[in-house]
Each structure stands twice: as C-alpha cells, then as structure tokens.
Amino acid sequence: MVESNSRMGGLLEQPATSQQLLHRYGLYEPLFYATWQPATGWHWHGVQTQYHRWLKQLLHGDLGYSYRLEAPVWDVVKQALRYTLPLTLLAAALSIALALGVATATSYRPSARRWFIRVAHILQSFPLFLLALGLLLLLANPDALSWFPAFGLGPADQESTGWSRPGLLLYQLTLPIISLVLGSFPALAIQLDGALRHEFNRPYIATARAKGSSPAGIVWRHALRNAVLPTVTLLTELLPSIVAGSVVVEVVFALPGMGRLLADAALNQDFPVLLGGVGLVAMVRLGAQLLADVLYPILDPRIRPEV
C-alpha cells in the first residue's frame, strides 16, 4: 500500500516537474518565428521564440545552459578545451612538419620515396579508430608494451593534469596525438610529393641542375615554394578534420575533452552543448580558410594585391 501511494505521488509530481523544467530552460516558447498548423495554416509568433532568445544570447557571448551538467555551456567547453587544445594543436603542427620533412627528404631518393608512398597510402586507408585501437593495444597493453596510460589520463592525475604540468599532460596525450598524426599527415604528404614531382619537370629545375645545384638545394631553394601552393588548400581541411578526429580519439582513450563532451551531449540530447561544439568547429573551419587566404599571397607574390 505504501509503495502504491509513493508511485501515485510520483505520477502526480511529474507534470509539475515538467512545467518547472520547461520554464527554467525556456522550452515553453515556440521554437521558431512561424509555425505551420494544418487547421489554421501559418502562424506568426513574433520574437517570443526559443530561436530568437538563443540568437540574442549568442550575440552577447552566452552559449546557454547545459541540460545535463546544469552549468553554463561556455564553462563546460572551456573545461574540455584544456585537453582538446593541446591535442589538436600539437597534432596539426606535427602533421605539417612530418609531411613536409618526409616528402622533401624522399623526393630525391627514389627507393625511399617508393616505400614512403606505399606506407602513406596504407595509413590513409585505415579508419582513425582502428589506428587508435592499434596503438592502444600495442603500446598501452600489459600483454604487449605498457608504456602509456590505457585510457589517456590516469584517474589519480586528472585533477592535477593541465597547463600547470605540461610534461605530464604531454605524456598522457602521446598516443592520442600519434593517432591523429597518423590519420592526417599521409594526405598532406602525398599531395606535396605529387606537387614536387610536377615541379621537377619544369624548365627552371633543369636550369638549377645545369648550374650545379645539389638535389637537396633544388628541393628547398627552388621546387618547394611552388609545390607548397596546392598543399595550402589542404590546410583548410586539416584543422577541421583533426578537430573532428579528436571526437573519435577522445572517446577511444577516454579523454575528458571536446570530443567526449560532444559524444555525451549527443547521447543525452544536451542540445545547448551540441550547438556550442558545432559552432566551435565552424569557427575553426573559418579560421583555417582565413589562414589559407593569408598564406597564398605570402608564398606566391603573383597574387599579391598591387599597391
């Protein structure tokens, strides 16, 4: 009898709780400015809508309030960026450096270039989660090599890890960074290698050879600057792809970053956090495109605006 009364009390409290939550998050308002009703047709709601309120908050730098964590979205995102920023920035820098170094070093060594191209194509064919799982089983497995944390961050170190302890953070992010680098640098390297092959057939390279320039000098002083131009286009996709790849890597290695935050938000239908994360990815893509627009005139004087 007591259990039946408690269940009945819970059922009676549900409508009140639902109304309280709807008013708390502003979900009682219409979703958009106008809605369609089969009986009455289009109905205009004015500015008293969820979308208008969200847009007004966004213009003031307010990303909303997390349904699941009951905290401002910006505070939640800042906490996650403590791990995602070093992960993505280091992965992007290492991918560019590795692609540039390997493609130029093997460009005048035919046998080494053949092996490099084969390995790059093989790496490019593997999904990112398989690369991450392979590194996890190989280098964080007591039955193989237990060199790194199995889940990226040790539970005892999560509170003390961050920019205050960069050495520990770098050690804990080693496998996730390697996973992102192995998944992103092959495309850059293959593109740069093809561009170098094209430049080597140009007349100015023959002139440089006739003047006695060394193979390394031909690459670094003559061919590379022109070969980099088509590769700059790929840079506009590198940063967004690494940010998207961090979702997979952070889930595999259980990192408390943006990727895991967005995965949990999608699972729990925490829409304010999802919108904040998607907006951040859009800003990264926009920033990458602006960076490419700045690099093109620097690398190619022909497209600089005339003064």
Side-chain angles (χ1 to χ4, degrees), residues 161-179:
T161 301
W163 296 100
S164 60
R165 301 184 64 182
L168 179 59
L169 179 62
L170 183 61
Y171 165 70
Q172 293 170 328
L173 294 180
T174 298
L175 290 185
I177 289 173
I178 294 176
S179 301

Side-chain angles (χ1 to χ4, degrees), residues 213-285:
S213 297
S214 64
I218 291 174
V219 172
W220 287 98
R221 297 176 186 175
H222 302 283
L224 182 60
R225 186 166 185 172
N226 292 325
V228 164
L229 289 175
T231 310
V232 171
T233 305
L234 290 183
L235 294 179
T236 61
E237 298 295 331
L238 176 65
L239 286 176
S241 65
I242 287 181
V243 172
S246 68
V247 177
V248 177
V249 169
E250 289 176 1
V251 170
V252 171
F253 291 98
L255 292 174
M258 281 295 300
R260 190 175 174 186
L261 176 66
L262 292 179
D264 292 341
L267 184 63
N268 294 278
Q269 298 183 352
D270 195 350
F271 298 115
V273 175
L274 279 176
L275 288 173
V278 171
L280 181 62
V281 174
M283 293 298 295
V284 171
R285 182 176 293 275

Side-chain angles (χ1 to χ4, degrees), residues 90-111:
L90 285 173
L94 289 176
S95 297
I96 295 172
L98 187 60
L100 184 64
V102 177
T104 53
T106 60
S107 61
Y108 50 89
R109 298 182 176 92
S111 59

